[in-house]
Amino acid sequence: MRNLLITILSCSFYLAPAQNFSVSAYKNNVFYIGVDNPLSILVENYPSGQVVVKTTKGEVHGQGPIHIYRGVEPGYTSIILYKKDELTEIGRNNFRVKYIPDPIAKVGPSAGGKIKKDVLQNQQFIRADLENFDFDVRFGVDSFTFNIIRTDTCFFRELLM
């Protein structure tokens, strides 16, 4: 009886070792729709060719420790790691998925409001900038509306590029 009780207690405390893994985004813990979001994926004691990477929303491409996530809708996504031979789950990490913020149109240093005539005359183009954004995303300007208000007259012109 005593041997049976000791055997039962020793069996109940056996824990399987956990698999150590890392899924991390290069820029921050947010993915953005419309751009490549680089990921670093490492699994302890597994070569990169033995790990399958999947996601709940979007697509994941790449091989080795570097992968690219492409989002399709805002919300949350899970990056899930599987053992290739057994297709058993190693682990998962959750990330937020967001739209890229709207760019701000700028003429020279100005994003609107008053601008001096000589500064305006020296500008060759209008640009669209993202302020305080981690990714290098470029926007082109297809068309814009230009208003000049001078004393009591308003000049209006819409330009297509």
Side-chain angles (χ1 to χ4, degrees):
M1 175 77 168
R2 187 173 199 186
N3 289 342
L4 180 62
L5 181 61
I6 292 172
T7 305
I8 291 173
L9 287 177
S10 64
C11 289
S12 65
F13 289 111
Y14 174 76
L15 297 175
Q19 179 67 50
N20 291 326
F21 68 95
S22 169
V23 178
S24 58
Y26 276 90
K27 297 292 183 178
N28 49 27
N29 284 329
V30 176
F31 293 146
Y32 290 97
I33 297 169
V35 295
D36 289 342
N37 297 274
L39 288 169
S40 173
I41 296 176
L42 298 171
V43 180
E44 183 181 45
N45 298 326
Y46 276 90
S48 58
Q50 295 298 315
V51 177
V52 176
V53 181
K54 296 189 177 192
T55 182
T56 54
K57 290 182 184 176
E59 299 175 353
V60 177
H61 301 286
Q63 292 184 359
I66 307 299
H67 286 72
I68 301 294
Y69 172 80
R70 295 282 295 189
V72 293
E73 65 181 80
Y76 288 89
T77 189
S78 294
I79 304 296
I80 310 164
L81 308 179
Y82 295 95
K83 295 177 186 175
K84 186 174 185 177
D85 298 337
E86 306 160 17
L87 284 180
T88 56
E89 186 176 319
I90 297 171
R92 64 177 61 208
N93 274 21
N94 297 320
F95 294 90
R96 285 184 302 155
V97 181
K98 296 169 53 174
Y99 286 113
I100 295 174
D102 291 334
I104 298 171
K106 290 187 175 181
V107 177
S110 176
K114 293 183 178 183
I115 187 169
K116 293 184 177 186
K117 181 180 177 181
D118 59 333
V119 173
L120 180 61
Q121 287 177 328
N122 289 324
Q123 301 309 308
Q124 296 177 358
F125 56 88
I126 292 178
R127 69 183 187 284
D129 284 345
L130 286 174
E131 294 182 346
N132 302 320
F133 191 66
D134 292 333
F135 284 95
D136 184 25
V137 179
R138 303 280 182 214
F139 288 92
V141 177
D142 294 330
S143 66
F144 62 93
T145 303
F146 194 73
N147 294 317
I148 298 175
I149 301 172
R150 194 167 145 196
T151 54
D152 60 348
T153 39
C154 177
F155 300 99
F156 170 81
R157 187 169 183 189
E158 185 171 334
L159 300 172
L160 300 174
M161 301 181 95

